[in-house]
Amino acid sequence: MDDQLLIMLAFMEGTGILAPFIFIFFHVLRQFLFIPVVILCMAGGILFGSFLGTVYSMAGLLLLSALFYFFIRKMPGTHAKLMKIKYKWFGRYTKMTVGQIAVLRLIPFFHYHLLNLCLLERRPDFRGFMKGAFATNLPLAFFYTVFGEFITHFTPTIAIVIISSLLLLFYILREKIVIMAWDDFFRHSNQEKNPC
């Protein structure tokens, strides 16, 4: 993974004016090369500086989110796998807020497209989805582009404190109401009474 990224960075440095377009397109390709979003955003900060790196990362992440919106419904197997992971991690009836999704995007080990799926459940129309994608990707692109170099130098204790703080923020921003279908509620109650 690191070798692929270094080769790509060296290639982009040599392309001159095409480098921003290649970098934006690389955001779409990165999931096929198994490169985390965080590393690519950090690379944008190194290549283009804080401001332009954030702008180019945002452009790439918004392009990726738009492609996800249009293609996820055409890939039922992938959609089902993501839903299975969502049910396992967050529960069947959890509907995350945009703030929660933005916080989870800052935690490096969360699946990017799983969070896109959670955003799609919250905002099913394209315009609302893209507004949510902008709001949730901006902290990710800004934070890791600007502070990416410093995060790698943090001690394990500081990293644990940062991740714990983000998890606490995720809990505070949760939606406090769960809407459950009538049939699902009573079917679940009946299964508990009759295990056979």
Side-chain angles (χ1 to χ4, degrees), residues 5-161:
L5 185 62
L6 289 174
I7 291 169
M8 191 62 188
L9 289 175
F11 175 73
M12 279 193 281
E13 283 181 341
T15 57
I17 197 142
L18 293 176
F21 300 107
I22 294 170
F23 180 74
I24 291 168
F25 184 67
F26 196 59
H27 270 283
V28 176
L29 292 179
R30 66 143 192 93
Q31 62 251 359
F32 302 113
L33 301 173
F34 303 108
I35 297 173
V37 177
V38 171
I39 292 176
L40 196 55
C41 289
M42 286 185 208
I46 293 167
L47 285 172
F48 304 110
S50 298
F51 178 73
L52 288 177
T54 301
V55 170
Y56 297 151
S57 288
M58 278 300 293
L61 292 171
L62 289 176
L63 176 63
L64 181 61
S65 295
L67 290 173
F68 175 85
Y69 181 86
F70 289 115
F71 287 111
I72 193 63
R73 292 185 179 104
K74 296 177 181 176
M75 301 175 357
T78 304
H79 186 272
K81 285 179 186 176
L82 287 174
M83 288 302 287
K84 195 175 189 182
I85 295 170
K86 181 198 176 275
Y87 294 157
K88 185 177 180 181
W89 282 12
F90 305 120
R92 181 173 290 276
Y93 300 104
T94 302
K95 231 178 167 181
M96 287 194 285
T97 64
V98 173
Q100 283 181 305
I101 295 169
V103 169
L104 287 179
R105 285 208 199 277
L106 291 172
I107 300 173
F109 55 82
F110 270 94
H111 194 286
Y112 184 81
H113 291 304
L114 175 64
L115 297 175
N116 270 344
L117 182 71
C118 293
L119 182 62
L120 185 62
E121 286 182 331
R122 170 64 66 182
R123 303 213 171 151
D125 62 303
F126 181 70
R127 188 174 180 177
F129 178 79
M130 290 309 291
K131 282 182 181 178
F134 182 84
T136 59
N137 284 320
L138 186 60
L140 167 72
F142 176 77
F143 184 77
Y144 284 110
T145 301
V146 174
F147 300 109
E149 295 177 57
F150 302 109
I151 290 171
T152 58
H153 301 297
F154 285 165
T155 63
T157 307
I158 292 175
I160 289 170
V161 168

